[in-house]
Amino acid sequence: MILVSSCLAGNPVRYNGTSCMNDIVQKLIDEKKAVPVCPELLGGFVIPREPAEIIGGDGFDVLDGKAKVIECSGNDVTELYINGARKTLEMAKEIKATHVILKEYSPSCGSQKIYNGEFMGKRRDGAGVTAALLAINGIKVVSEQELENWKDEV
């Protein structure tokens, strides 16, 4: 079974109430091979919510207590992101997920790149909090940008 970012499944759960529907993800859900999840909603956020970025590192650093997740207003929402990551990991274990397809650039779900913490739209290498926790626990994290090359594996 595969866990997928809910926004990639067409659900309007992003911070601004939009989705990023991905045809490959939708096909996996239709074929009952995937289950959608939104770590941020699991963590306690609502829709809409303020944009947030990781300050001082990436998701691995957040989990190590070396970085924080901050909303654009300056509000520290680190614990909500960690809580959502933990609940997503629990869900992945429950459904025996071997892979997780996550939305790139998100402070939760980015697997290769995230925003740089300046709220200026600039990206940098790094993982989000959920992507980092899943990777630490041996679950293969795949970005939606890798799906064209990866889809034959499922």
Side-chain angles (χ1 to χ4, degrees), residues 11 23 37 39 53 57 60 70 72 80 88 91 101 108-109 130 135 150-151:
N11 298 315
D23 292 336
V37 64
E53 296 185 10
F60 292 99
I70 305 295
C72 63
L80 291 172
T88 302
M91 188 173 178
I101 302 169
S108 285
C109 298
T130 298
W150 181 80
K151 67 181 177 182

Side-chain angles (χ1 to χ4, degrees), residues 53-70 76-79 81-82 107 114-117 124 127-129:
E53 296 185 10
I54 298 174
I55 309 290
D58 70 359
F60 292 99
D61 297 313
V62 170
L63 295 170
D64 286 341
K66 299 174 186 171
K68 296 186 178 296
V69 187
I70 305 295
D76 184 340
V77 289
T78 304
E79 287 306 313
Y81 275 83
I82 292 172
I114 55 174
Y115 288 99
N116 71 355
R124 65 175 183 84
V129 179

Side-chain angles (χ1 to χ4, degrees), residues 2 10 18 30 59 66-67 80 89 92 96 103 110 115 121 135 144 154:
I2 301 166
T18 63
D30 292 345
K66 299 174 186 171
L80 291 172
L89 176 61
K96 296 177 175 53
K103 178 70 183 113
Y115 288 99
E144 87 277 9
V154 290

